[in-house]
Amino acid sequence: MRHVKYALCINKACGLQVEPKPDITLCPKCGEVLDITYDYEYLKSTITREQIEASTDNSFWRYKPFLPVEETSEAPALRVGWSPLYEKHGILGLDTLYIKDDGQNPTGSLKDRPSALCVVKAKEAGRTSVACASTGNAASSLAGSAAAAGLSAYIFVPERAPKGKLAQLLVFGANVVSVQGDYQAAFRLSDMAIQKWGWYSRNAAINPYLMEGKKTVALEICEQLNWQAPDWVAVSVGDGCSIAGVWKGFYDFYQMGFIDKLPRLLSVQAAGCYPVHKAFRAGTEEIVPMSEDTLADSIAVGVPRNGLKSLRALEASNGLAVEVSDEEILAAMCELGRSTGVFGEPAGVTGFAGLKKAVEQGLIRKDEKVVTIITGNGLKDTANALKAAGEPISSPPDMDRLLVEFEKRGVKPE
Ligand SMILES: *Cc1c(COP(=O)(O)O)cnc(C)c1O
Ligand SMILES: [Zn+2]
C-alpha cells in the first residue's frame, strides 16, 4: 500500500505510528484507536478528478486509490455504495436539500461500506472467517459481504435480537450464536471466540479500516455535487464511526485539492441517548456512559466506541449537535417518505429529524446547501414504521361503503 503512510494513534500524548498490516487493531502502546494516514503528495501524483469521473465502476470501489487496500486485492461481487443523491427544493424550508439514500445498499444500510472493506482486509490477512457481535446493521452487512466474498461469518447476538434482523443473518448463511444475556455478554463471548479461533474481527471499536469504508459516502457526495462541498452534512450518531468517517472523506478530498472547502457537520443523537453530545458541550474528551432509551435501535449506544473520533470531527468541522425525541424521529420518517419517496429506518432518518430542528431553531439558514444521509432502509423495522404511519382505510368490497370510508378519513379522490 504505497499510498498509506501508517496507522496513527489518535491519543495526542502517544502518537505512535503503526505499520498498516491488515489485522492491526488498537495502539499497541496505549490501547487507543488508530487512524489510517495517507500520503497525499503521492496520491496527487497518481490520481485526478477526471480519472475518477471516467470510472465505470458504479460502486464505492471507484475510489479504490483512496482506500487502504492492496492494489491486487479484488472487491467482492456485491454492489456497495454509489447510492443516489436526490436534489430537493423547499423541504424543511430549505432552498436546496440533498438526500443521500444509503438505504439502497445491498443489505439496506451504510454499514455495507465498512463491511465490504472488512472482508477484503480479512482476505489480505489470510483469514477465511470474519466475526462480530451485533444485533443490527453491522451484523447483517457483514453476513452479506462475507457471503459475497466466500468467507464464513460468525455473528454473536443477544437473545433479544429482533426476528427481522436474525432473518437477514440466517439467509446469508452466517453462523448465528444467540447468546443468553445482553449485548455486553454477546460482545465478551465473541471476543473470546475471536481470540481462540483467530477470526478477523469486524468491530468498529478496534478495527481502524472500517471508518475508511464509511468515508466513501462523503467521497461520493463530493463527486455527485460536481466537486462542490455542501455547507452542512447532517448525520445520525451512535458509536460515532459514521460521522467520523464522513469527516475523513471530505478531509481526504480537501487535502487532494478536489474540493475547496470543508462542510460543517450536524450531529444528531436521540434525546434518550446522547453521550457524545454531552461531552461535546462540556468541551471534554471524556465520554460518560448513558442509558439507551430510544426506539432508534441502531443509534442506541450508551457507550460509544468511536466517541473520541466523532468529537474530533465535530470540533474540526465547527459542527453543531442536536437531539431529537422518538416522536420527532417517527414524524420525520413520514415527512421524508411523503416528500421524497425515501423510506428510512428510525436511526436512518434521525439526521433528517435533527436537521428539521436545526432549521426551525435558526441554526442553519434556508439558503445554505445541506446534505442529509439516510443511513438505513425503513423495511428493516416495519413495526416502528407502522407506529409512525398509522392504519390503512378499512372497507368492505363495496363502492358505496368505500365512499363513506373516504369521507370519514377526509380523502377526496381526484
Ligand atoms: C450504525 C448506524 C448509524 C450510526 O453509526 P455510528 O457509527 O454507530 O455512529 C446510524 N444509522 C444506522 C441505520 C446505522 O446502522
Ligand atoms: Zn497510542
Side-chain angles (χ1 to χ4, degrees), residues 8-15 30 32-35 211 240 243-245 247-248 251 263 265 267 276 279-280 284-287 306-319:
L8 180 68
C9 174
I10 69 167
N11 172 3
K12 284 173 182 154
C14 172
C30 76
E32 197 34 273
V33 291
L34 300 172
D35 184 39
M211 202 181 86
I243 196 167
W247 180 246
K248 181 79 174 279
Y251 180 83
L265 297 176
S267 170
V276 172
F280 178 59
T284 165
E285 292 195 335
E286 293 298 318
I287 296 181
N306 276 274
L308 184 52
K309 276 189 179 176
S310 64
L311 281 172
R312 295 256 176 91
L314 263 175
E315 274 153 23
S317 82
N318 187 23

Side-chain angles (χ1 to χ4, degrees), residues 1 16 24 26 41 72 123 130 161 174 197 213 223 257 278 280 300 303 362 371 404:
M1 295 195 292
L16 189 69
I24 48 170
L26 298 171
E41 290 314 310
T72 49
K123 283 194 158 180
V130 289
W197 285 292
E223 187 178 355
K278 269 197 173 158
F280 178 59
V303 186
V371 175
V404 173

Side-chain angles (χ1 to χ4, degrees), residues 21 26 45 51 111-112 120 185 187 195 201 220 241 275 278 287 314 321 326 342-344 365 386 389:
K21 292 191 183 140
L26 298 171
S45 71
Q51 279 169 304
K111 299 276 195 305
D112 281 331
V120 171
F187 184 85
Q195 301 291 331
S201 170
E220 288 173 18
C241 185
K278 269 197 173 158
I287 296 181
L314 263 175
D326 284 355
V342 173
F343 182 15
R365 291 195 324 265
L386 286 168

